Amino acid sequence: VKVSDLLNMEKLLSFNDLKALGKLREHRVGMFCIFISHQWLGNVHPDPFGSQFKILKAAVKKVVDGSIAVEGDVSAQLRFGTMRLSRAQRNRIRNGYVWFDWFSVPQIASRET
């Protein structure tokens, strides 16, 4: 899913919803992609009230517009210090894609045990 499409989503859409809207893209070599992992807050939907998605969207928006610093892990900070992303790096993210398990992988609707 394009970063711009993620930022325009009103709520966290599923794989099937985004497929029907023509928003899913197949990964290609050279494609800049952000991989997102998170804790599921429900058994059927990962974020039933949209609380994590709202925070995710706000964070991505701040990274893209440069209003938040992105830091590496502790060892990277010790070696290189803290740096702000350049305009070119932010544009690469803005024009990139997001892989998020809920909408990048078809989900099993229900399971019987």
Side-chain angles (χ1 to χ4, degrees), residues 13-33:
L13 298 174
S14 70
F15 175 92
N16 290 335
D17 294 335
L18 290 169
K19 185 176 180 183
L21 293 169
K23 299 290 185 182
L24 297 179
R25 301 290 181 263
E26 187 172 328
H27 185 268
R28 296 180 314 275
V29 174
M31 180 184 276
F32 181 83
C33 190

Side-chain angles (χ1 to χ4, degrees), residues 10-12 41 45-56:
E10 296 289 325
K11 64 179 184 171
L12 185 57
L41 300 179
H45 191 280
D47 191 10
F49 303 106
S51 56
Q52 289 183 336
F53 187 62
K54 181 179 177 181
I55 293 168
L56 170 66

Side-chain angles (χ1 to χ4, degrees), residues 38-90:
H38 62 100
Q39 178 182 6
W40 279 45
L41 300 179
N43 293 328
V44 178
H45 191 280
D47 191 10
F49 303 106
S51 56
Q52 289 183 336
F53 187 62
K54 181 179 177 181
I55 293 168
L56 170 66
K57 280 180 48 175
V60 171
K61 183 179 182 308
K62 288 179 179 183
V63 167
V64 167
D65 70 20
S67 64
I68 191 172
V70 177
E71 298 177 352
D73 60 34
V74 173
S75 62
Q77 287 183 44
L78 291 173
R79 289 177 41 208
F80 305 112
T82 305
M83 299 172 23
R84 289 217 174 253
L85 296 176
S86 69
R87 182 181 307 266
Q89 290 169 317
R90 292 193 326 268

